[in-house]
Amino acid sequence: MTTKRGKFLTLEGVDGAGKSTHVQWLVDTLRNKGIEVLSTREPGGTPIGEKLRELLLHEPMGLECETLMMFAARAEHLRTVIEPALSTGIWVVCDRFTDATFAYQGGGRELGYDRVETLEKWLHPDLQPDRTWLFDVPLTVARERLNRTREQDRFEKMADAFFQRTREVYLARANAHPTRMICVDSTQSIDNIRKDLELDIAQIIDAAATQ
Ligand code: TMP
């Protein structure tokens, strides 16, 4: 009997959009339904990736270096964590993936999409998430939530125009990939958001069972 490939589920959104509130809940919900799940994040998820994360979040660097380091961390993550899990039937919940590079580096930092696409085609030509939940809030809400949290990292300190561009790219990608990406109105209450997520998870599980 061949092992069914696991599902690859990602969460996205600008800083302060509230996605982190739901990661563990999503993992627990899937586990309660009997699914084996690995929870991970980007940048990070491997010993090298976590070291790169520290640099990425706190050291000043140029846009080329930043983009390549995001993909360097991702390459290691894919090779040692994500692919081995998916290919043995384990589901992967990943807090951010390549959509974040399109939105933050491509849009926020105005690198454009061509180079991000080139790196994506090199490093994971055949892999896209099976589902991406995009947590969306207006800039004012994101800012207000961020101001309430711990000390801000390099990305969180960026100007409003950066956040606006990043959000716009995320929304454009959700429009361009309507079957993969679901836009979650993250100004709603946590309970309402989870009701919608739970329905979506049930559909994903049903679809996986019939594949
Ligand atoms: P986190 O705070 O959601 O863990 O994400 C860390 C930061 O890294 C966040 O500000 C977004 C940023 N980031 C990028 O700029 N590009 C990427 O490709 C990824 C994965 C994250």
Side-chain angles (χ1 to χ4, degrees), residues 13-203:
V14 297
D15 297 272
K19 77 183 157 46
S20 308
T21 315
H22 301 285
V23 179
Q24 191 55 48
W25 175 85
L26 271 165
V27 170
D28 292 342
T29 304
L30 289 163
R31 286 190 181 139
N32 288 339
K33 292 179 188 296
I35 292 167
E36 194 177 348
V37 186
L38 185 147
S39 176
T40 187
R41 68 173 178 180
E42 292 207 347
T46 66
I48 287 177
E50 291 296 326
K51 284 186 181 159
L52 292 176
R53 179 187 175 89
E54 267 308 296
L55 293 170
L56 279 161
L57 296 195
H58 303 293
E59 290 291 327
M61 65 182 75
L63 178 54
E64 295 82 1
C65 180
E66 180 179 298
T67 307
L68 292 168
M69 272 170 63
M70 289 293 177
F71 270 100
R74 184 163 299 136
E76 205 57 11
H77 198 203
L78 281 164
R79 186 180 71 82
T80 65
V81 176
I82 296 176
E83 270 303 337
L86 294 176
S87 62
T88 49
I90 298 169
W91 290 35
V92 174
V93 171
C94 192
D95 189 343
R96 299 194 186 281
F97 192 60
T98 301
D99 288 306
T101 321
F102 278 101
Y104 278 79
Q105 281 67 47
R109 282 195 171 281
E110 299 182 283
L111 177 68
Y113 311 130
D114 289 0
R115 292 189 177 92
V116 183
E117 253 165 29
T118 301
L119 291 166
E120 178 187 47
K121 281 199 185 109
W122 177 29
L123 293 165
H124 59 93
D126 302 321
L127 178 72
Q128 287 296 329
D130 296 290
R131 167 70 78 240
T132 299
W133 291 290
L134 170 61
F135 292 82
D136 181 60
V137 289
L139 180 67
T140 44
V141 177
R143 276 288 182 213
E144 206 234 314
R145 287 181 182 170
L146 277 182
N147 289 340
R148 273 190 260 140
T149 59
R150 58 190 159 67
E151 202 192 323
Q152 295 179 4
D153 65 40
R154 211 162 60 82
F155 292 97
E156 292 165 344
K157 285 181 190 150
M158 295 292 287
D160 286 357
F162 168 88
F163 271 82
Q164 201 56 47
R165 286 193 297 272
T166 304
R167 180 187 184 210
E168 275 162 19
V169 175
Y170 268 136
L171 290 173
R173 286 183 71 74
N175 262 326
H177 304 281
T179 43
R180 170 172 74 85
M181 289 179 85
I182 302 258
C183 189
V184 178
D185 173 1
S186 198
T187 59
Q188 294 180 89
S189 70
I190 291 178
D191 279 356
N192 277 349
I193 290 173
R194 289 185 178 171
K195 271 186 208 138
D196 289 347
L197 290 175
E198 206 153 5
L199 286 175
D200 194 34
I201 289 170
Q203 281 183 3

